Amino acid sequence: MPRVVVHVMPKPEILDPQGKAVAAALPRLGFEGIASVRQGKRFELELEGPADEAAIARLREAAETLLSNPVIEDVVDIEVLGEGA
Amino acid sequence: MPRVVVHVMPKPEILDPQGKAVAAALPRLGFEGIASVRQGKRFELELEGPADEAAIARLREAAETLLSNPVIEDVVDIEVLGEGA
């Protein structure tokens, strides 16, 4: 079955408390040299049918309404990984 | 500054309740044809220095200890996006 990855990130103008917490924790744990961190989401979906244009268009709609909150998040990428196992 | 993306997913043998919830919600909202969903995390980091081999090795260690929980999650990819704005 074709696998698709949907990448969702907080919009640039939105404060990202999870990312800020990670960025603050890194130097405390000995990892220096990281200027900023933003945390988003990655969804891996398996499609029942082929990953054709119509399926990806429907998936984009689902990604923009259900997988992300369009007020605070952007769907930054939809990546078709091809046929899975 | 170079930007790096760290991709984290729940291990295949781990039940993923967030992904299951999304997969169950999709058909209720009219999106059919999606067999399974797994939800992971995507981190975008900005490095202060160059994204050389040593920096990426340190970052991989941080990703495997702080950005992911190694008991239940895998770092599936570390992607160097090159120089940001």
Side-chain angles (χ1 to χ4, degrees), chain B residues 64-78:
Chain B
E64 284 170 359
T65 52
L66 178 68
L67 302 183
S68 68
N69 176 347
V71 177
I72 57 166
E73 292 171 326
D74 285 325
V75 176
V76 293
D77 195 18
I78 294 183

Side-chain angles (χ1 to χ4, degrees), chain B residues 5-85:
Chain B
V5 184
V6 175
H7 300 268
V8 174
M9 290 302 291
K11 285 184 193 283
E13 65 272 25
I14 294 286
L15 192 71
D16 170 17
Q18 287 185 105
K20 290 254 183 292
V22 171
L26 282 164
R28 286 204 304 271
L29 292 165
F31 298 106
E32 307 282 347
I34 291 163
S36 78
V37 179
R38 290 183 77 75
Q39 179 172 350
K41 293 184 277 190
R42 175 191 157 104
F43 295 92
E44 287 187 6
L45 299 98
E46 272 186 352
L47 301 187
E48 274 162 7
D52 54 17
E53 231 171 87
I56 298 301
R58 276 203 320 274
L59 187 62
R60 181 173 294 278
E61 208 193 314
E64 284 170 359
T65 52
L66 178 68
L67 302 183
S68 68
N69 176 347
V71 177
I72 57 166
E73 292 171 326
D74 285 325
V75 176
V76 293
D77 195 18
I78 294 183
E79 189 187 347
V80 180
L81 291 189
E83 300 297 316

Side-chain angles (χ1 to χ4, degrees), chain A residues 26-55:
Chain A
L26 282 164
R28 286 203 305 269
L29 293 165
F31 298 107
E32 307 281 347
I34 291 162
S36 79
V37 180
R38 290 185 75 77
Q39 178 171 352
K41 293 183 278 188
R42 173 190 159 106
F43 295 92
E44 287 187 5
L45 299 99
E46 273 186 351
L47 301 187
E48 275 161 7
D52 53 18
E53 229 170 271

